[in-house]
Amino acid sequence: MLSTIGDLGEFGLIARMTARFPHTDDVILGPGDDAAIVRAPDRRVVATTDMLVEGRHFRRDWSGPRDIGHKAAAQNFADIAAMGARPTALLLGFAAPAGLPVSWAEEFAEGLRAECALVGATVAGGDTVRSDSITLAITALGDLQGVSAVRRDGARPGDVVAVIGDLGLSAAGLALFLADSTVGHPECRAAHRRPAPPYAAGPAAAELGATAMLDVSDGLVQDLGHIAAASRVRVELQSSALLVPAVLSDAVRTLTRLGAIECAPVDLMLAGGEDHALAATFPEGTVLPPGWTVIGRVAEGEGVVVDGAPSDARGWDHFSVTS
């Protein structure tokens, strides 16, 4: 019986994984040739790439292969949505030990397939290679469908700042895993294992005239700092406008009791990453759809302030000694 991907071989592994990815109208030629062919009806292609490294972005004792597949696709599709585009296709670089069970690779592919299905995309191709640990390199493509891309440099003084999606839950989930793998709070743990970006909100925000937008992957304050820098403005946030979910408050109480953190729930909403919410700026007076929450304004100046003062909320930095 072929129980590991080493037993199966490279081409057997590719066949097992690609069999799970459906054909879509966006992909003219999918896996099996030297390169894929993807439609570009808008004549512009939005592209992004991201990596997940075992032990840095996920741990197999915390997350199952389906969770990791969902997460790998989600964090890339969130970037496509943040540009105001519709995700169309993924390219997958899959590096893994030869002793990895075939079932793990198949379940991972199922997670990718299921997340792709949420947006109507598919895996168009990729590569496999042997390595000492699992590393995933994902490239996502998207279609702007005739609208202007929403960049980071368009915010203007007078705009409102709004967010949609979860904030702080993934950070709480990570802290729970690090503190005690047996403690409850499944909502926060699930948010860390398998984020749920508000994909449809990105293109809808572009249609509404959003002036700047991004995916909150490294922390709300830190990421809004990118908009502030690119747009040469100051972003002024009001922490009281952030709606703290009860599940986050409950998790923070547990974490405080365990001595794992010393902060308020809103602090995780300001600094925690990997929920993949969307943050955007809109012209004043824009009527926002349900789900968006206005949390501040854009003003002349620079940087990000919270409740009138510079914030010490620090987000994720891969090369920081404290991350």
Side-chain angles (χ1 to χ4, degrees):
M1 181 177 179
L2 303 177
S3 60
T4 71
I5 62 175
D7 296 331
L8 193 60
E10 178 182 2
F11 301 110
L13 173 63
I14 292 171
R16 288 281 188 97
M17 294 180 72
T18 57
R20 286 165 165 75
F21 306 136
H23 296 288
T24 67
D25 290 341
D26 292 304
V27 178
I28 299 170
L29 179 64
D33 219 303
D34 288 326
I37 303 175
V38 180
R39 295 186 191 278
D42 181 81
R43 299 180 65 84
R44 297 169 296 170
V45 175
V46 178
T48 186
T49 191
D50 216 339
M51 296 180 68
L52 292 88
V53 178
E54 183 176 5
R56 189 63 171 171
H57 299 93
F58 64 88
R59 282 175 43 170
R60 282 190 268 168
D61 55 334
W62 292 350
S63 299
R66 286 198 185 217
D67 296 325
I68 297 165
H70 276 277
K71 187 173 186 175
Q75 66 183 46
N76 282 273
F77 286 153
D79 285 334
I80 297 294
M83 299 298 293
R86 177 183 65 85
T88 57
L90 285 183
L91 300 173
L92 167 66
F94 183 84
L100 187 74
V102 172
S103 60
W104 196 100
E106 291 176 329
E107 288 294 300
F108 166 75
E110 285 294 337
L112 272 183
R113 181 202 60 75
E115 194 69 26
C116 285
L118 295 177
V119 295
T122 193
V123 175
D127 189 25
T128 59
V129 66
R130 179 173 178 166
S131 67
D132 293 334
S133 61
I134 299 173
T135 299
L136 308 168
I138 306 286
T139 296
L141 307 177
D143 175 24
L144 284 165
Q145 303 177 98
V147 304
S148 296
V150 186
R151 299 167 25 163
R152 298 181 177 185
D153 60 358
R156 298 292 179 263
D159 287 351
V160 299
V161 182
V163 296
I164 187 169
D166 296 325
L167 290 171
L169 297 188
S170 180
L174 174 60
L176 287 162
F177 280 121
L178 291 170
D180 186 343
S181 62
T182 64
V183 176
H185 306 289
E187 299 92 344
C188 294
R189 293 171 186 275
H192 180 70
R193 289 188 181 109
R194 195 181 291 193
Y199 297 125
E207 292 280 1
L208 275 175
T211 54
M213 183 161 53
L214 47 63
D215 158 41
V216 182
S217 57
D218 297 322
L220 179 64
V221 170
Q222 179 168 292
D223 286 333
L224 284 174
H226 300 319
I227 285 181
S231 299
R232 299 182 180 180
V233 295
R234 183 171 73 243
V235 173
E236 300 176 342
L237 302 181
Q238 293 295 322
S239 63
S240 60
L242 291 168
L243 307 177
V244 180
V247 293
L248 179 59
S249 296
D250 291 344
V252 168
R253 279 192 290 271
T254 296
L255 288 164
T256 301
R257 186 173 67 252
L258 293 171
I261 62 172
E262 294 182 5
C263 68
V266 73
D267 295 324
L268 289 186
M269 298 181 75
L270 291 169
E274 288 202 310
D275 287 297
H276 298 288
L278 297 180
T281 58
F282 296 89
E284 186 174 17
T286 301
V287 178
L288 300 180
W292 286 96
T293 300
V294 175
I295 59 170
R297 299 184 65 83
V298 178
E300 293 183 356
E302 61 183 22
V304 179
V305 298
V306 179
D307 300 332
S311 173
D312 59 1
R314 296 189 61 184
W316 182 259
D317 180 341
H318 275 288
F319 296 100
S320 169
V321 295
T322 59
S323 291

